[in-house]
Amino acid sequence: MQSQTYSIGVIGGTGPQGKGLAYRFARAGHRVFLGSRSPERAREAARELGARLPAAARAVSGTSNATAASVNDVVLLAVPWNGHAELVAGLCDELAGKIVISCVNPLGFDKRGPYGLPVSEGSAAEQAARLLPGSRVVGAFHHVSAVSLLGDAECLDAEDVLVCGDDAAAKGVVQELVCSVTGRTGVDAGALRLARQLEPLTAVLISINKKYKTHSGVAVTGLTRSH
């Protein structure tokens, strides 16, 4: 498991994905601040998660997005694609100098199902990097089901988390944080530009989930596992 604990802000911490990842981080002993446009909603979500956590791991607080961004060295963006640019740009000062993890998936839905949306910068992670020149942006946690994250399993050890980024040290921190979810380090998937492939892959998993009534994930074979 991870050798270091972190203080982590979750922007969009009241949504399913943000709340699920916050739950996993807190279970692993990290200090978590749930951020929201409504601090009261964030505090209610924090109380909900705290009730499910062991007493030793109840370090979850609810606050505003700005506070969650400013008081932590690691910040997760778990916000909807709609309004992403405006929200991220508005937190530029608060996120300066931080490791920023993007798990945002720009997806559309129509009668044929989910599909990846075009992004002028290439991906949501790359858009965040452009808007946050003073931050170290890493893409990760795109493919982990919110239902699975909020489930009771000790860890999601049948899945891998693919991590992409251009800052090796920041990417290493995020790979270590993946242990909170899967019980092993994240897979280095290359440069940040590969988020262009990782983000829309989520649409494929959603289609699989609908077809087979499951909560699918990604597993990479042929690797030596690190715990």
Side-chain angles (χ1 to χ4, degrees):
M1 300 296 286
Q2 76 275 341
S3 58
Q4 182 175 344
T5 57
Y6 295 91
S7 180
I8 304 169
V10 181
I11 308 303
T14 59
Q17 197 75 3
K19 193 186 300 183
L21 286 165
Y23 176 59
R24 292 290 162 176
F25 293 150
R27 275 182 57 150
H30 301 291
R31 182 78 174 89
V32 180
F33 291 80
L34 297 181
S36 172
R37 287 189 174 93
S38 166
E40 181 50 44
R41 281 187 63 201
R43 286 189 284 270
E44 177 57 34
R47 287 191 288 269
E48 179 184 325
L49 291 185
R52 295 188 57 196
L53 292 166
R58 289 182 182 169
V60 182
S61 303
T63 185
S64 66
N65 280 330
T67 299
S70 64
V71 301
N72 300 284
D73 292 326
V74 179
V75 179
L76 173 74
L77 297 176
V79 299
W81 173 241
N82 185 27
H84 175 265
E86 180 181 2
L87 186 150
V88 173
L91 295 173
C92 183
D93 290 342
E94 288 84 354
L95 291 172
K98 317 291 175 116
I99 295 174
V100 177
I101 307 168
S102 173
C103 69
V104 178
N105 295 311
L107 300 180
F109 297 84
D110 61 19
K111 292 180 179 179
R112 298 174 62 188
Y115 59 96
L117 294 172
V119 180
S120 59
E121 295 86 354
S123 65
E126 289 171 287
Q127 183 182 88
R130 181 180 66 80
L131 295 170
L132 303 171
S135 305
R136 296 183 286 165
V137 177
V138 178
F141 302 110
H142 299 99
H143 309 131
V144 187
S145 160
V147 174
S148 298
L149 289 169
L150 287 165
D152 296 324
E154 183 65 25
C155 62
L156 309 184
D157 56 4
E159 300 186 34
D160 285 304
V161 171
L162 307 181
V163 182
C164 62
D166 296 332
D167 184 297
K171 188 159 56 172
V173 169
V174 178
Q175 287 180 265
E176 183 183 349
L177 279 175
V178 171
C179 290
S180 304
V181 176
T182 66
R184 56 179 180 261
T185 56
V187 175
D188 187 337
L192 190 67
R193 66 183 181 181
L194 292 179
R196 303 174 192 184
Q197 280 70 49
L198 298 183
E199 292 172 5
L201 180 60
T202 305
V204 178
L205 297 179
I206 293 172
S207 293
I208 292 171
N209 293 343
K210 183 177 180 180
K211 174 68 175 179
Y212 293 96
K213 295 179 172 54
T214 187
H215 304 293
S216 58
V218 171
V220 181
T221 62
L223 302 180
T224 301
R225 303 299 183 180
S226 176
H227 293 79

